[in-house]
Amino acid sequence: MIVQSKNRCNAMANPSPAKSMGDPGITPLSPSHTQNDTDQVPSGLSFDVVVAIDFGTTSSGYAYAFTKEPECIHTMRRWEGGDPGVSNQKTPTTILLTPDRKFHSFGYAARDFYHDLDPSESKHWLYLEKFKMKLHTTANLSIDTDLHAANGKRVKALDIFAYALAFFKEQALKELSDQTGGEFDNNDVRWVITVPAIWKMPAKQFMREAAYKAALVSRENPEQLIISLEPEAASIYCRKLRLHQMVDLGTHTTQNGFSPTDNVGSGITQAKEHVRRNRQSRTFLVENVIGELWSELEEGDRYVVVDCGGGTVDLTVHQIRLPEGHLKELYKASGGPYGSLGIDYEFEKLLCKIFGQDFIDQFKIKRPAAWVDLMIAFESRKRAAAPDRTNPLNINLPFSFIDYYKKFRGHSVEHALRKSNVDFVKWSSQGMLRMSPDAMNSLFKPTIDHIIQHLTELFEKPEVSNIKFLFLVGGFAESPLLQQAVQNMLQGRSRIIIPHDVGLTILKGAVLFGLDPSIIKVRRSPLTYGVGVLNRFVEGKHPPEKLLVKDGTRWCTDVFDTFIAADQSVALGEMVKRSYTPAKPSQQVIVIHVYCAEKESAVFISEPGVRKCGTLRLDVSGTESTAPRREIQTLMQFGDTEIRAMAVDVSTGRTVKASIDFLSC
């Protein structure tokens, strides 16, 4: 099975894991390190089409390209529904289950159906939104992790993610069948699912497990699914950008007809209008050339991709490698839960301050559909926030909010606003909350401050000096407030580039990645990987509690034999090989435990933060080794978004692959 490449290593190990397992153990024979120059990532050309799914916190969608026409990226069919003031190129990440927990609908269809239910009915239906963040925030994520629906009922997270992926599979195959005029076979599709680069290992494995459950791909053919890191996908697309496909906030001359002296965000506004006019075809031509911007980059030039989504903000630092223009990751992905959802939470806190936390909590449970309505109204006004705005922003309060508050408190919403200490939010006689621009901007401040603080710290790292470009991508990148904050922080040190249709950048890049996964040549390992071994015990060097005596031989147990260290550069396809021999020659089964840690070095597998993430079990019964000491080779292949591990009995050629599992802590 495939090992994936990140994990929260916070589990405390046993005092002596090896002793407690009772395994005879292995001891190093001769360490070796081999560089594998052949890219072992399967080529996308064995598939007829690549379909990428951008499973976002707030919105999701898919795009595809046929391998015979890789320059044409098609975005999904137009979704029904939509919101005033909000682009609907993707669909909201919302899902609705029937009262008996069967899948009903996804996206706008789910939200609109749920909204139209009578409150007495809706409390029995299970409605979920913005649930992707649970994978990032759950410390001990497992197959059994639960989510809470709007009515408070619990539902298995794996079921919800699988339902969503199955929905996209059905939609995409239906569209492909219509395009080709016949039944399109799922086996002809290479699937790509995007995930934040900062996600820990269990979250990435969880997405793969959900894909298996959704029958997107089978466990027997795991290579049919590639996990793509969101900022990497954006980086791949940005290589292709032509001047007319982006806004450059760092230029001092007119660019694409947009003058940088215009207020921040005006370029994006015009770009969105340009995109809207050209959206009918849903097909983006990606020319088989390097974009003009990219052609300015020279060997060794560095750039940063800041992926600002609904849930997380991901930062990656890449370096260009010529002549092919391959990408090298210079600094391990960083970021945090600083997406645009933070602004929604600030708005909710503001409502609690005005109307009381007890009322808001009750309203969300008793009138969940009306709460969704209120947040939709806020979303469209949120997008109108800008640094230079002077007129107030009006947010519609649903009638049921006004009505329920009167019943709950015995006085009106207007009375509550007058009594509250919040003087920058007023009541409008049309049934609206009237927010001053400063009030709206203050809701953005905590989230934007987090992003700027993280960017500032990143730019202080030695690896992150002399950055030529900063690409701002993801839906939140459209915010003029965020754009201005990034400009103020950089002070002209780097050019800020924002692609047109910035919310689809990752989707289009993920399709390109599926067509050529070898484009990223060097990554940074987010974890230290190794195996647990026995070494000959040396008095004075090894702790006495690690002494293990077997058949008269004194061993030091629990030794962490490192394959690769955290933050080490890893080439795509790089293979690390170690040779071991059974500590006891008569062993019938050789067991090798794979361990990982977030710290760069570990001496013993019993140290805090080191945890077991897989086991290689090689049956050598009934075989004789011709060599005086049986050689067992253990190999780990790095550099992909996932990592492969295997063990080989050299004398017989028997091979076993690791069963690496980060979800069964």
Side-chain angles (χ1 to χ4, degrees):
M1 188 178 166
I2 293 170
V3 190
Q4 300 168 320
S5 62
K6 280 191 185 178
N7 173 43
R8 173 177 252 108
C9 299
N10 54 9
M12 288 287 290
N14 294 321
S16 176
K19 286 181 183 176
S20 67
M21 289 170 194
D23 295 325
I26 53 168
T27 185
L29 196 59
S30 62
S32 62
H33 180 284
T34 62
Q35 182 82 22
N36 185 351
D37 294 324
T38 57
D39 295 337
Q40 303 219 349
V41 177
S43 161
L45 298 176
S46 56
F47 300 94
D48 292 341
V49 69
V50 169
V51 180
I53 299 172
D54 180 5
F55 198 125
T57 304
T58 51
S59 61
S60 299
Y62 68 85
Y64 60 93
F66 293 97
T67 52
K68 288 179 179 168
E69 291 182 306
E71 69 285 351
C72 293
I73 299 176
H74 309 269
T75 56
M76 66 229 157
R77 288 175 182 166
R78 232 178 136 73
W79 297 96
E80 291 178 54
D83 300 324
V86 179
S87 162
N88 70 338
Q89 189 65 18
K90 292 198 278 189
T91 195
T93 308
T94 52
I95 196 165
L96 183 64
L97 307 188
T98 62
D100 58 353
R101 295 173 177 257
K102 297 279 192 299
F103 175 79
H104 180 271
S105 48
F106 187 90
Y108 287 116
R111 206 187 62 195
D112 295 346
F113 185 92
Y114 181 65
H115 170 266
D116 292 341
L117 287 170
D118 186 86
S120 61
E121 271 190 283
S122 65
K123 64 184 179 189
H124 301 297
W125 289 67
L126 290 94
Y127 177 81
L128 296 99
E129 61 177 357
K130 299 167 185 168
F131 47 84
K132 178 184 169 188
M133 276 301 284
K134 183 82 173 186
L135 298 197
H136 181 70
T137 55
T138 303
N140 297 308
L141 184 68
S142 77
I143 292 297
D144 298 319
T145 294
D146 283 335
L147 297 171
H148 285 92
N151 61 3
K153 290 184 180 172
R154 291 153 75 101
V155 61
K156 287 269 176 287
L158 189 69
D159 291 344
I160 296 301
F161 281 85
Y163 279 141
L165 291 175
F167 169 80
F168 281 118
K169 175 190 174 187
E170 184 187 352
Q171 295 295 320
L173 288 179
K174 203 182 292 178
E175 184 170 343
L176 288 167
S177 297
D178 291 349
Q179 281 261 28
T180 54
E183 190 78 13
F184 206 88
D185 188 346
N186 188 50
N187 292 324
D188 295 330
V189 180
R190 156 160 281 164
W191 294 95
V192 181
I193 298 176
T194 66
V195 301
I198 55 166
W199 264 15
K200 301 293 182 185
M201 216 11 243
K204 290 183 186 170
Q205 186 185 335
F206 189 95
M207 286 302 276
R208 188 168 276 278
E209 292 295 330
Y212 291 145
K213 191 175 176 74
L216 205 67
V217 299
S218 68
R219 289 183 192 278
E220 292 70 45
N221 191 17
E223 292 83 11
Q224 195 184 349
L225 168 65
I226 299 177
I227 301 292
S228 168
L229 306 183
E230 287 166 5
E232 279 191 359
S235 185
I236 292 164
Y237 179 69
C238 288
R239 306 170 76 235
K240 302 281 190 179
L241 278 179
R242 308 305 302 270
L243 289 177
H244 63 275
Q245 295 171 320
M246 66 188 191
V247 176
D248 185 343
L249 295 185
T251 53
H252 298 284
T253 55
T254 300
Q255 172 90 26
N256 310 329
F258 311 139
S259 166
T261 55
D262 292 346
N263 54 6
V264 173
S266 66
I268 283 289
T269 307
Q270 292 174 56
K272 282 159 87 172
E273 177 58 26
H274 168 82
V275 166
R276 190 191 63 74
R277 288 197 303 267
N278 288 286
R279 198 174 266 162
Q280 296 305 317
S281 68
R282 297 185 299 108
T283 299
F284 293 86
L285 284 176
V286 181
E287 296 171 50
N288 195 20
V289 294
I290 299 299
E292 291 99 335
L293 195 71
W294 212 262
S295 63
E296 292 182 33
L297 289 169
E298 297 168 357
E299 174 76 38
D301 275 353
R302 302 160 177 205
Y303 62 95
V304 171
V305 177
V306 184
D307 172 20
C308 307
T312 54
V313 168
D314 256 355
L315 298 94
T316 45
V317 186
H318 281 151
Q319 188 174 43
I320 196 82
R321 291 175 63 181
L322 298 176
E324 300 91 348
H326 288 137
L327 311 178
K328 174 182 179 181
E329 187 181 26
L330 271 192
Y331 185 76
K332 65 181 178 183
S334 61
Y338 318 135
S340 58
L341 270 189
I343 302 153
D344 297 357
Y345 296 141
E346 290 299 316
F347 178 61
E348 190 176 327
K349 275 159 63 177
L350 179 65
L351 292 176
C352 289
K353 195 172 176 182
I354 297 168
F355 302 108
Q357 173 114 29
D358 54 344
F359 167 71
I360 295 296
D361 288 346
Q362 274 302 301
F363 180 70
K364 284 162 77 173
I365 292 166
K366 299 290 188 189
R367 301 283 188 274
W371 174 255
V372 170
D373 263 2
L374 175 55
M375 293 313 290
I376 290 167
F378 174 68
E379 179 67 27
S380 76
R381 304 325 296 141
K382 181 171 90 176
R383 289 170 184 250
D388 57 342
R389 190 183 177 99
T390 52
N391 52 324
L393 295 123
N394 294 325
I395 297 160
N396 268 316
L397 276 186
F399 171 74
S400 62
F401 185 100
I402 299 164
D403 182 56
Y404 191 70
Y405 184 79
K406 185 87 186 273
K407 288 174 183 167
F408 191 89
R409 287 273 189 253
H411 58 249
S412 69
V413 161
E414 187 179 357
H415 177 82
L417 275 159
R418 276 203 310 270
K419 286 284 185 189
S420 78
N421 298 323
V422 183
D423 55 0
F424 43 74
V425 179
K426 305 291 183 196
W427 176 246
S428 152
S429 55
Q430 289 96 8
M432 296 177 177
L433 290 180
R434 177 165 287 182
M435 292 184 73
S436 70
D438 285 347
M440 179 62 87
N441 295 359
S442 70
L443 299 182
F444 279 73
K445 192 175 186 311
T447 301
I448 288 178
D449 284 353
H450 270 304
I451 296 169
I452 297 303
Q453 181 189 345
H454 201 92
L455 262 178
T456 304
E457 289 169 4
L458 183 73
F459 270 72
E460 286 169 356
K461 309 273 183 198
E463 304 95 321
V464 194
S465 57
N466 303 317
I467 297 296
K468 198 156 190 173
F469 298 117
L470 182 144
F471 291 100
L472 209 50
V473 303
F476 191 18
E478 290 181 357
S479 164
L481 290 167
L482 177 60
Q483 291 171 22
Q484 186 187 60
V486 174
Q487 275 187 298
N488 292 343
M489 173 253 156
L490 283 176
Q491 294 289 310
R493 282 181 287 172
S494 304
R495 279 167 63 186
I496 302 166
I497 307 296
I498 306 171
H500 287 184
D501 225 0
V502 68
L504 295 177
T505 302
I506 289 157
L507 200 43
K508 292 183 267 188
V511 173
L512 293 171
F513 181 59
L515 290 165
D516 180 14
S518 66
I519 193 78
I520 305 283
K521 284 294 184 190
V522 179
R523 284 193 176 88
R524 292 270 171 171
S525 175
L527 294 177
T528 295
Y529 288 97
V531 298
V533 301
L534 298 171
N535 273 346
R536 293 294 176 119
F537 190 85
V538 179
E539 291 287 350
K541 177 187 173 186
H542 294 136
E545 66 271 17
K546 295 295 181 188
L547 175 63
L548 180 69
V549 181
K550 276 195 174 183
D551 301 330
T553 305
R554 291 159 61 83
W555 298 103
C556 177
T557 188
D558 299 337
V559 176
F560 189 111
D561 191 18
T562 301
F563 272 61
I564 205 148
D567 209 27
Q568 190 174 328
S569 284
V570 193
L572 183 73
E574 186 168 343
M575 190 88 78
V576 179
K577 182 167 63 178
R578 296 274 187 274
S579 289
Y580 301 100
T581 190
K584 190 176 178 183
S586 59
Q587 276 173 236
Q588 299 296 295
V589 177
I590 290 150
V591 180
I592 301 167
H593 296 293
V594 182
Y595 293 85
C596 66
E598 287 191 349
K599 54 188 178 182
E600 285 185 30
S601 63
V603 179
F604 297 108
I605 60 175
S606 53
E607 291 173 21
V610 177
R611 56 160 295 196
K612 190 170 79 162
C613 59
T615 302
L616 291 156
R617 194 176 295 273
L618 194 58
D619 187 343
V620 294
S621 57
T623 65
E624 291 293 323
S625 172
T626 51
R629 298 169 79 192
R630 185 187 291 270
E631 183 182 355
I632 305 296
Q633 280 186 356
T634 303
L635 303 95
M636 285 193 205
Q637 189 180 22
F638 297 90
D640 196 355
T641 46
E642 294 154 329
I643 296 162
R644 295 160 172 81
M646 61 187 289
V648 182
D649 179 2
V650 173
S651 60
T652 64
R654 279 193 189 178
T655 301
V656 65
K657 292 184 179 178
S659 180
I660 306 294
D661 188 4
F662 289 92
L663 290 170
S664 57
C665 299

